[in-house]
Amino acid sequence: MIIGSDSAYFLKARQAGRPVVKDLPKFDLDQYIANYRGKTRVDRLLLIGTTAPLLASEALRAAVSEAKQGRDVGRYDAVVAAIREILPGDINAVSDSAWIDRTNKQVKAESDRLETELKGYKNNLIKESIRMGYDDLGQHFHRIGDLTNSVKAYGRMRDFCTTASHLVIMSLRLINVSIDQGNWLAVQTNVQKLRSPGQLSTEAQQTSAKLSAAMGLALLASGNFREAAQEFVETDPRMAQARLDDPSDAEAFNEVVTPNDIAVYGGLCALASMDRNELQKHVLENGKFRTYLELEPHIRRAITFFVSSKYSACLSILESYRSDYLLDLYLQRHLGELYFQIRSKAIQQYFIPFSRVTLAALASAFDANEHTMEQELTSMIKRKHLDARIDLVDRVLLSRTANARSAVHENALQMAKDYERTAHLRILRMEMLNAGLEVSDKGKPGANTTLENVGLDPFHGGASAGNWVSEGIARSLRSGLRS
């Protein structure tokens, strides 16, 4: 069943400002979702089903099937609620009460069993058993969607970690839970703990790829595209060689992201935040990131075109993949800003050699109409991304030419004012010292009183002389200055 973009749900979504993807993406849904494992499969399918009308039916039905393979009743309810709005006549629009009751009973029984075992471990006072008990309990809470209690269990587990590897395992568990929570500050905190020099540094090197990916996601979520790009492009290539279909492969991180995601996130963030020289040096010539770029050759082509000043070709490639990126769990919210910054940089670089360019020429170079180009230029000028003016009468973009002669005169006048003020303050200080305003009593400890000690330092501001000395001393000072 194919849902149209003019259905009631997607009309409301568009009115609310949420993205609605009308075109089919380039990826095959089954192959795309097969690269992931765990709860992110449900989240990604739900996002696709509520964003792409042409894939809504297939994605939401697959999301129901995935949710029922786990024990997270809350996620299952969210999927059913989405189906009820988008596909009200579908068989999955009605909750499976029998499955919910059965799952809730299993969850309660498992929770009781794990808590009972943990109490027994505490009574025996065996630290390793207690640590494993908290670890099992934290993983159980994570699987059922109780993220708050999962974080608490891992937090209590810290006191019973006896080796560096235990602390690394605990921190990685907390990072995964924090990503599910959207608590990006906690993600950064735990990554920094593992990266801090000390006994954990050696153990953490084995998980450096996961740490870079997690930190990159946290920085991307906060809108810090430059630092996010630096994290992604420095991700250890061992993740790219992981077997995604093998849950026992410790290098795989596909419960969160895949190597293809690293290539896309790193490439887009680099294009939005780095200049052409930096892109050439830190991205295209980066041995670590080259392994990831080979998985997404269109990203490498886009960066190569940008470095070669072929901006139209670069933007054309990115635009052809817009639908795919709008269906990504972590890119969707930031894609508009990323694309705007990339286009802004391209327009800036294109405009540098010219003093004036017609809007028609710009629109032709960047495959847009004049009205759209005018709006883009206006937004760039307001954000101070482009130092130029728009002549709406002649339909021309004019660069601002700085008056070098006026700038030199202003600098000279400012230097003269600064010199005059400094000279006046030095003369004032000398006359104050000549007038006897420095009091020194070496016989008493701590009695050395100077102008600076009482707050009367002409060089650093402070209270006026009248607030600190008597009128008689002030008159002596004035008479000294006159002489």
Side-chain angles (χ1 to χ4, degrees), residues 8-133:
Y9 175 85
F10 291 106
L11 284 176
K12 290 180 182 178
R14 195 179 293 110
Q15 291 171 359
R18 299 197 303 271
V20 175
V21 178
K22 298 180 180 180
D23 301 324
L24 278 172
K26 295 182 181 297
F27 61 75
D28 178 78
L29 183 60
D30 292 334
Q31 294 179 358
Y32 169 78
I33 209 64
N35 291 325
Y36 300 93
R37 61 183 170 89
K39 299 160 73 169
T40 191
R41 290 167 66 103
V42 180
D43 294 337
R44 289 178 181 272
L45 286 169
L46 180 59
L47 177 71
I48 293 171
T50 55
T51 306
L54 297 178
L55 293 175
S57 177
E58 182 182 358
L60 290 175
R61 287 170 181 166
V64 169
S65 177
E66 286 290 338
K68 294 179 76 171
Q69 292 179 20
R71 293 185 175 182
D72 191 341
V73 177
R75 265 182 170 80
Y76 172 75
D77 289 337
V79 175
V80 171
I83 293 177
R84 193 177 296 122
E85 286 192 73
I86 301 173
L87 304 167
D90 192 88
I91 188 174
N92 294 305
V94 180
S95 297
D96 188 346
S97 302
W99 178 86
I100 293 175
D101 293 339
R102 184 171 62 254
T103 303
N104 284 333
K105 289 178 181 179
Q106 293 174 351
V107 166
K108 187 178 186 306
E110 182 70 7
S111 299
D112 293 341
R113 183 184 69 82
L114 291 173
E115 289 177 356
T116 302
E117 288 182 355
L118 181 59
K119 288 180 181 178
Y121 297 149
K122 289 181 178 179
N123 291 334
N124 294 332
L125 299 177
I126 302 175
K127 294 187 69 174
E128 177 61 14
S129 297
I130 297 173
R131 183 193 70 82
M132 293 179 64

Side-chain angles (χ1 to χ4, degrees), residues 157-275:
M157 173 182 165
R158 183 186 300 274
D159 296 333
F160 302 95
C161 294
T162 55
T163 65
S165 61
H166 293 166
L167 290 172
V168 170
I169 292 172
M170 180 207 65
S171 297
L172 287 175
R173 302 258 201 262
L174 282 171
I175 287 171
N176 285 346
V177 177
S178 299
I179 290 175
D180 274 358
Q181 285 182 313
N183 187 351
W184 301 110
L185 181 60
V187 173
Q188 296 184 55
T189 301
N190 284 286
V191 171
Q192 293 295 351
K193 286 180 180 178
L194 290 178
R195 286 180 171 177
S196 60
Q199 61 177 350
L200 294 181
S201 58
T202 304
E203 298 287 342
Q205 286 177 0
Q206 300 175 1
T207 59
S208 61
K210 294 182 179 181
L211 298 182
S212 295
M215 180 62 85
L217 284 178
L219 294 169
L220 172 62
S222 63
N224 193 341
F225 301 138
R226 184 174 182 82
E227 292 188 16
Q230 292 171 351
E231 290 290 343
F232 287 128
V233 300
E234 292 300 324
T235 302
D236 195 293
R238 67 178 69 183
M239 184 187 293
Q241 302 163 2
R243 298 185 301 275
L244 301 182
D245 57 346
D246 185 2
S248 62
D249 192 337
E251 301 298 340
F253 198 40
N254 56 338
E255 67 272 22
V256 179
V257 292
T258 64
N260 299 68
D261 294 331
I262 298 295
V264 172
Y265 300 163
L268 291 181
C269 289
L271 279 170
S273 59
M274 295 182 181
D275 59 33

Side-chain angles (χ1 to χ4, degrees), residues 190-434:
N190 284 286
V191 171
Q192 293 295 351
K193 286 180 180 178
L194 290 178
R195 286 180 171 177
S196 60
Q199 61 177 350
L200 294 181
S201 58
T202 304
E203 298 287 342
Q205 286 177 0
Q206 300 175 1
T207 59
S208 61
K210 294 182 179 181
L211 298 182
S212 295
M215 180 62 85
L217 284 178
L219 294 169
L220 172 62
S222 63
N224 193 341
F225 301 138
R226 184 174 182 82
E227 292 188 16
Q230 292 171 351
E231 290 290 343
F232 287 128
V233 300
E234 292 300 324
T235 302
D236 195 293
R238 67 178 69 183
M239 184 187 293
Q241 302 163 2
R243 298 185 301 275
L244 301 182
D245 57 346
D246 185 2
S248 62
D249 192 337
E251 301 298 340
F253 198 40
N254 56 338
E255 67 272 22
V256 179
V257 292
T258 64
N260 299 68
D261 294 331
I262 298 295
V264 172
Y265 300 163
L268 291 181
C269 289
L271 279 170
S273 59
M274 295 182 181
D275 59 33
R276 290 187 298 163
N277 292 331
E278 290 175 323
L279 287 171
Q280 179 68 39
K281 179 179 179 181
H282 299 301
V283 181
L284 295 179
E285 297 177 0
N286 188 324
K288 293 181 179 180
F289 197 59
R290 188 180 298 118
T291 306
Y292 294 97
L293 285 178
E294 291 174 355
L295 302 174
E296 296 288 338
H298 67 279
I299 289 291
R300 183 181 59 195
R301 290 200 308 272
I303 297 174
T304 302
F305 283 140
F306 194 97
V307 171
S308 304
S309 300
K310 299 177 181 178
Y311 306 116
S312 179
C314 170
L315 296 176
S316 177
I317 291 175
L318 296 182
E319 196 63 34
S320 67
Y321 281 84
R322 179 187 285 269
S323 298
D324 295 53
Y325 300 153
L326 282 174
L327 300 178
D328 185 88
L329 189 60
Y330 302 109
L331 267 185
Q332 184 188 84
R333 188 178 304 173
H334 306 282
L335 190 66
E337 182 63 23
L338 283 168
Y339 272 36
F340 175 81
Q341 292 195 19
I342 294 171
R343 283 184 66 87
S344 297
K345 282 178 55 185
I347 292 172
Q348 289 172 8
Q349 296 291 324
Y350 179 88
F351 185 55
I352 285 175
F354 304 103
S355 60
R356 55 189 291 145
V357 179
T358 64
L359 297 185
L362 278 171
S364 175
F366 290 95
D367 194 20
N369 56 58
E370 285 192 38
H371 179 68
T372 303
M373 182 56 62
E374 179 186 329
Q375 291 180 331
E376 281 191 58
L377 294 173
T378 302
S379 179
M380 289 175 61
I381 293 172
K382 287 182 178 179
R383 293 192 184 192
K384 298 184 179 179
H385 290 176
L386 183 65
D387 189 15
R389 295 174 298 169
I390 302 176
D391 185 346
L392 294 178
V393 176
D394 296 330
R395 310 292 293 173
V396 174
L397 180 68
L398 304 170
S399 65
R400 293 183 183 272
T401 55
N403 191 333
R405 182 184 182 89
S406 175
V408 170
H409 288 172
E410 290 180 1
N411 290 335
L413 288 173
Q414 186 61 41
M415 290 176 61
K417 290 179 181 178
D418 293 341
Y419 178 81
E420 181 182 3
R421 180 176 180 276
T422 302
H424 174 73
L425 291 175
R426 291 186 180 278
I427 295 172
L428 179 62
R429 179 181 176 83
M430 288 189 296
E431 293 299 336
M432 294 171 95
L433 293 175
N434 290 336

